[in-house]
Amino acid sequence: MVYYQKMTPEGYKQIEDEIAALKADRPRRVQNLKEARALGDLSENTEYSTAKRELRHLDSRVRYLNKQLKYAEVIETVNDGKVNLGKQVEIRYEDDKEVEEYRIVGRMEEAVGDEKLPFDSPLGHALMKHKAGDRVTVEAPMGNYEVTILSVK
């Protein structure tokens, strides 16, 4: 059984852009490898080892990203007022009354500090399919807490 990764259209495009940038950089990396190989003895040639490792890393990253696209399930945002992939959600943590805004994204789109929240994280999972005004309990590894959904856009 194949497991597809849910993601937003923006996340899919972001991966496509990264693949294009990596492919555009590949000829430069191949040239670096050729130049390092021309320096002579390969057994003690750190430039060659480094260039070869960087090229392998680039190729590996491209394969990984292509696999992400192959198994991506792009979810279109529906304007139904409920928290779902691609939606902006503003919440209030009930323990300290702090207000935060997140964009619900797929697991592969997660970026720390970008105010993105994976739908399958404990908080994301608790928010899914709820609407503004709902108070939900988040079951997290460090203990449960409550949040109130202030808005869903």
Side-chain angles (χ1 to χ4, degrees):
M1 182 172 157
V2 177
Y3 178 73
Y4 289 94
Q5 295 287 335
K6 294 179 181 179
M7 70 175 56
T8 63
E10 295 81 14
Y12 193 90
K13 175 82 168 94
Q14 185 178 12
I15 293 173
E16 285 180 325
D17 292 346
E18 185 177 350
I19 290 171
L22 290 169
K23 285 183 176 181
D25 188 38
R26 193 174 194 288
R28 181 186 63 84
R29 303 269 176 123
V30 169
Q31 185 61 36
N32 289 349
L33 183 62
K34 286 179 183 177
E35 291 170 3
R37 183 179 298 199
L39 295 176
D41 184 13
L42 299 182
S43 64
E44 296 181 16
N45 186 336
T46 59
E47 289 87 0
Y48 174 76
S49 299
T50 301
K52 188 174 178 182
R53 183 174 48 250
E54 287 177 354
L55 183 60
R56 276 196 318 253
H57 177 72
L58 182 141
D59 289 340
S60 174
R61 180 73 179 159
V62 168
R63 281 192 306 275
Y64 172 78
L65 292 172
N66 277 322
K67 193 174 282 187
Q68 297 307 312
L69 294 183
K70 180 178 179 180
Y71 294 107
E73 179 185 352
V74 178
I75 305 295
E76 295 294 332
T77 304
V78 178
N79 193 10
D80 59 359
K82 294 181 180 179
V83 177
N84 209 338
L85 218 59
K87 298 275 186 95
Q88 288 287 129
V89 61
E90 185 179 29
I91 61 170
R92 180 180 60 236
Y93 294 91
E94 292 304 323
D95 55 354
D96 62 3
K97 304 301 182 198
E98 184 179 343
V99 175
E100 295 281 338
E101 188 169 330
Y102 298 104
R103 182 160 188 268
I104 307 296
V105 297
R107 180 181 306 148
M108 303 314 301
E109 301 174 68
E110 178 179 0
V112 177
D114 283 346
E115 297 172 347
K116 293 181 180 178
L117 180 66
F119 76 95
D120 59 353
S121 67
L123 177 56
H125 181 74
L127 295 173
M128 292 298 284
K129 306 298 182 197
H130 287 277
K131 56 187 184 305
D134 288 355
R135 187 174 183 156
V136 297
T137 300
V138 180
E139 296 178 13
M142 298 299 287
N144 297 349
Y145 59 93
E146 290 190 346
V147 298
T148 300
I149 302 171
L150 302 177
S151 69
V152 178
K153 304 174 208 162

